[in-house]
Amino acid sequence: MDSSNLSSLPEESLEEELEQPPQRNEAPLPSAYASVPLRPPSQVPLNPLSKLECGTGPPAESYNLSEEDNSWLVARSSLQKYSPLDWLGYFDEEKDIPIPDSNDVFHVYMAGTEGPVVFCLHGGGYSGLSFTLSAGKIKEKARVVAMDLRGHGKSSSENDLDLSVETMCNDVLAVIKEMYGESPPAIVLVGHSMGGSVAVHVAAKKTLRTLAGLVVVDVVEGTAMASLIHMQKILSSRVQHFSSIEKAIEWSVKGGALRNIDSARVSIPSTLKYDDSKKCYVHRARLVETEQYWRGWYEGLSDIFLSCPVPKVLLLAGTDRLDRSLTIGQMQGKFQMVVVRHTGHAIQEDSPEEFATLILNFISRNRIGPQGVEIPGLRRPLQSHSQQ
């Protein structure tokens, strides 16, 4: 989970500014997730204000806009700035993976057709779409699968509040088995924050025989354990209700949770659900109610990470996050550490291009192919020829 500053922003709803707009005929903003239509669609040509919004008309000053017009236009432009974006074009498809002998159904997003599988696990409160923008580049040389963990995104389970690391590990292994059977391709586990803990524990089980690499994103035992005492306060003090999805996206960016607007526009809608009783959007993951499992995510994580018998890389947003065990392990060359500058906790969202490049370089450097490590020059023996 992100322990960055998530202080509340004033809920100055953009919809309030649009309740009594100037009387004009205009089409609503196109959005797959639009929560409230701005006004009925119209077949009449767009007026000059619409051209101004689209950047196709003369500059604003030439219209001599009234204060009311200008205020309305600014509000509409801001709403458009934070409108949701679709994941299509980055991921190729989505699937529901039912788990036999249970009522659990896990949702996955998939991209790419060849190479090893980069299997992505998101952090607490995020979703599989947290990896959307980076998946668009990773899929050029590898396959990508991003899973919604239980209690998150579009996944459904018998107990959405059982976020114990053991349960989530079993979920991941069950999904991989259902997707690939008994002969899965080479898999590189990538986990962010809480998902990083799950990835480490899955790797440490040594039951996934085609596991070829492990990438942990911005989670270190020492820092994570120290932050747990503040987590309830952080979760409770964040904005809980949003009048629209656009307001939630705006809050995530202005509050500092995410620094990349485009990534927020794709990922944030999947972290929300509409509450009919409250007539607003609320957070999908009920993290406040899962406190009993938090310590288990991170306790002993550094030593478990170091014990995993596969190539490993730790991506960090700051060098001060290394604890003693990892510092020693890094000096001994047990894993690679990369510090990604100018980013927040969600490195894969804030700097998707750099993140994707780091993943592909990791795969290339460790020679991970579709079936595992590929050794250059190793070929099948040539069929013997008869002596001349």
Side-chain angles (χ1 to χ4, degrees), residues 203-217:
K205 283 179 175 291
K206 302 178 183 179
T207 57
L208 186 56
R209 62 180 184 81
T210 60
L211 181 64
L214 175 63
V215 180
V216 175
V217 184

Side-chain angles (χ1 to χ4, degrees), residues 110-130:
M110 306 169 65
T113 57
E114 57 186 22
V117 172
V118 178
F119 201 96
C120 302
L121 305 175
H122 61 79
Y126 296 79
S127 79
L129 291 182
S130 178

Side-chain angles (χ1 to χ4, degrees), residues 136-189:
K137 181 172 181 178
I138 295 174
K139 73 177 184 180
E140 296 174 3
K141 297 184 178 180
R143 287 171 280 180
V144 185
V145 175
M147 171 182 170
D148 286 342
L149 295 169
R150 67 169 52 218
H152 293 75
K154 292 183 180 180
S155 290
S156 61
S157 66
E158 295 176 350
N159 184 359
D160 280 354
L161 295 180
D162 181 7
L163 296 188
S164 66
V165 70
E166 184 68 21
T167 295
M168 289 190 287
C169 283
N170 291 336
D171 292 342
V172 171
L173 291 170
V175 168
I176 291 174
K177 182 177 181 180
E178 287 306 304
M179 291 183 69
Y180 303 109
E182 299 298 331
S183 301
I187 290 177
V188 176
L189 279 178

